[in-house]
Amino acid sequence: MSVKHALLALLEQEPMYGYQLRVAFEERTAGTWPLNIGQVYTTLSRLERDGLVTAGETDSDGHQLYRLTAAGRAEVTAWFGSAVPRTQPARDELAIKLALGVSARDLDLADIIQRQRSATMKALQDYNRLKRKATDLGHELVLDSLIFAAEAEIRWLDHCEAQLRRTADRAVR
Amino acid sequence: MNTPVLHLEGVSRIHGSGELAVHALREVSFEAYAGELVAVMGPSGSGKSTLLTLAGGLDEPTSGRVVVEGTDLTAAGAGGRARLRRTAIGYVFQDFNLIPALTAAENVSLPLELDGAPSRAARAAAATALDELGIGDLADRFPDEMSGGQQQRVAIARAIVGQRRLILADEPTGALDSVTGEDILRLLRARCDAGAAGVLVTHEPRHAAWADRVVYLRDGVVLDDEDAGETVGARR
Ligand SMILES: Nc1ncnc2c1ncn2[C@@H]1O[C@H](COP(=O)(O)OP(=O)(O)O)[C@@H](O)[C@H]1O
Ligand SMILES: [Mg+2]
């Protein structure tokens, strides 16, 4: 996840200091991806080194405000304008579990699939409850992203189960 | 929350007989209480629609009992079932099933009028139901003058008109885009929050997530969800 671009996009709206950036980021993304403050400061110093932000004046409370440079503004525009690359998927424990389960003996894979489906559905129900309470479009879209991802997992589990049954049926014939 | 609005007790439904017998449902027990929305999921052919038609009194079990608001549907006879369908049970289908020659308001008031309600009262109840679903202004439109989402809202108005307490919906969002489908679920959810019992058949996990409980059907059997998540090992 590009913390760099998220910070730049926030700074495009107004100059902010580090802690303020962290709060704004978490607030806008419904607290879904917590940022630690150390990460914010190291990112800011890298952005400053690269000429994308300047550390300027301090506000009345002595916080150092960061603002976007012209190069930083161009970077934000380019980020919004380009597709996010599909990264190499992280090691997926569930996929690995099923792949290994297929060849394990004495294992009821259908049962494992159902247990997972039930757990993922519970998460989906939680996201749905949060979404029903959401009053901010940005929050809703973040929750929708989690919702669609959980749904994709359940659909994939359905698919695995159907494949499993088909294979079993073939073996019987 | 003590007695369920809908109670299936050991219900089986077998189509045909002998070699060709299809066990659409096997010894299924199922409850839906006032104020809750229950989703039913399962692959096609697993018995979802059969469960719903039995709950709605549109079909009869081969064995077992279906009880709606304390009335045993089998004992109620065809007349009694028809009456319950007009007063206590609302049904929503994927393809809306509105009568093309009737306006939205007439489609909604029809079940009440068939039940012998005075025309005026039936019209007033229909107007209330349409308003509740945010489509009061469509009362005089015919089905072919409305979008799919609007028609489905009319179908839901018809399903809830006159204080019905059990709402059965079979893939009600199947023909709708994702945002319109979501509006429909929001309405079903609101209706259950207001005290109705709802049963929603859907193949969209995202939509099932609106429910309080999700029941999974496989080959006419309800998967036992109680031990899912509890047992550590899945070894046979
Ligand atoms: N009227 C009928 N005659 C014979 N078989 C039927 C009839 N209705 C349903 N079935 C069978 O019963 C099973 C369950 O069907 P259904 O309840 O429609 O499943 P679902 O809605 O989950 O797709 C299927 O195998 C189906 O073919
Ligand atoms: Mg069906």
Side-chain angles (χ1 to χ4, degrees):
Chain A
M1 158 54 220
S2 172
V3 175
K4 165 185 165 183
H5 288 114
L7 298 188
L8 289 173
L10 285 168
L11 288 174
E12 192 186 32
Q13 294 171 6
E14 56 174 324
M16 282 187 240
Y17 55 91
Y19 180 73
Q20 210 179 2
L21 277 165
R22 174 193 173 186
V23 170
F25 175 83
E26 292 189 356
E27 203 271 320
R28 298 283 286 277
T29 52
T32 309
W33 298 284
L35 263 191
N36 77 51
I37 192 70
Q39 208 177 352
V40 173
Y41 284 118
T42 45
T43 306
L44 282 171
S45 62
R46 231 176 298 133
L47 291 173
E48 192 181 6
R49 180 200 66 197
D50 296 343
L52 299 174
V53 304
T54 50
E57 72 277 32
T58 50
D59 70 5
S60 52
D61 293 323
H63 298 117
Q64 180 152 59
L65 291 174
Y66 289 83
R67 69 174 66 239
L68 224 50
T69 63
R73 209 167 291 280
E75 182 76 22
V76 173
T77 307
W79 182 60
F80 275 122
S82 57
V84 174
R86 273 199 74 76
T87 47
Q88 172 77 14
R91 234 181 269 137
D92 182 335
E93 183 177 347
L94 179 57
I96 292 168
K97 192 193 262 193
L98 293 189
L100 299 179
V102 165
S103 54
R105 303 204 310 145
D106 299 329
L107 205 59
D108 187 348
L109 216 48
D111 193 43
I112 291 171
I113 289 172
Q114 174 56 16
R115 189 162 303 144
Q116 184 67 46
R117 178 168 25 230
S118 182
T120 306
M121 179 56 79
K122 292 211 166 71
L124 201 51
Q125 286 170 296
D126 287 341
Y127 296 147
N128 182 280
R129 265 188 287 273
L130 289 173
K131 189 182 151 152
R132 271 186 260 159
K133 280 188 256 160
T135 49
D136 175 287
L137 179 60
H139 290 187
E140 269 194 62
L141 296 180
V142 168
L143 286 164
D144 277 334
S145 155
L146 300 173
I147 285 170
F148 278 94
E151 175 169 75
E153 182 173 300
I154 294 177
R155 283 182 185 285
W156 173 70
L157 288 166
D158 290 346
H159 173 79
C160 292
E161 183 181 336
Q163 288 281 71
L164 208 64
R165 284 177 157 227
R166 215 168 62 175
T167 312
D169 285 350
R170 278 206 210 109
V172 167
R173 275 189 211 127
Chain B
M1 211 52 195
N2 27 28
T3 44
V5 174
L6 167 67
H7 193 180
L8 271 66
E9 298 172 33
V11 166
S12 296
R13 178 67 174 101
I14 303 170
H15 293 288
S17 59
E19 285 272 292
L20 298 173
V22 177
H23 292 256
L25 285 184
R26 303 164 196 256
E27 295 281 325
V28 165
S29 291
F30 178 94
E31 288 115 44
Y33 290 87
E36 83 171 339
L37 178 61
V38 185
V40 178
M41 299 196 79
S44 96
S46 58
K48 306 181 297 292
S49 294
T50 301
L51 187 149
L52 226 56
T53 50
L54 290 170
L58 299 169
D59 185 18
E60 284 188 82
T62 308
S63 61
R65 290 192 340 136
V66 179
V67 182
V68 174
E69 294 266 62
T71 304
D72 180 334
L73 294 190
T74 303
R81 281 196 295 281
R83 188 183 158 75
L84 272 170
R85 286 205 302 274
R86 292 192 302 263
T87 57
I89 305 169
Y91 221 109
V92 184
F93 302 90
Q94 174 172 341
D95 49 6
F96 325 135
N97 262 5
L98 299 176
I99 298 172
L102 300 182
T103 64
E106 289 163 349
N107 264 287
V108 176
S109 63
L110 185 65
L112 297 180
E113 296 197 44
L114 287 175
D115 196 48
S119 200
R120 249 187 122 83
R123 290 299 164 99
T128 307
L130 288 168
D131 277 341
E132 207 172 309
L133 296 181
I135 46 166
D137 52 325
L138 302 181
D140 297 324
R141 297 244 193 121
F142 290 92
D144 66 1
E145 298 167 343
M146 292 182 277
S147 70
Q150 291 169 335
Q151 290 186 59
Q152 194 59 307
R153 281 178 190 238
V154 174
I156 293 180
R158 182 184 55 189
I160 66 172
V161 72
Q163 312 302 313
R164 281 187 176 76
R165 297 244 303 155
L166 176 60
I167 301 174
L168 307 170
D170 197 347
E171 306 270 8
T173 57
L176 306 174
D177 64 71
S178 83
V179 172
T180 314
E182 197 140 294
D183 288 342
I184 294 301
L185 283 155
R186 206 174 285 279
L187 295 170
L188 283 177
R189 180 72 252 180
R191 200 59 200 179
C192 294
D193 289 341
V199 184
L200 163 73
V201 166
T202 179
H203 63 269
E204 312 242 23
R206 200 171 72 250
H207 291 166
W210 285 80
D212 301 288
R213 282 193 293 132
V214 182
V215 166
Y216 302 90
L217 274 180
R218 288 292 177 280
D219 302 323
V221 178
V222 173
L223 287 189
D224 192 359
D225 208 35
E226 240 57 77
D227 34 72
E230 262 180 35
T231 337
V232 178
R235 308 237 162 212
R236 274 189 190 128

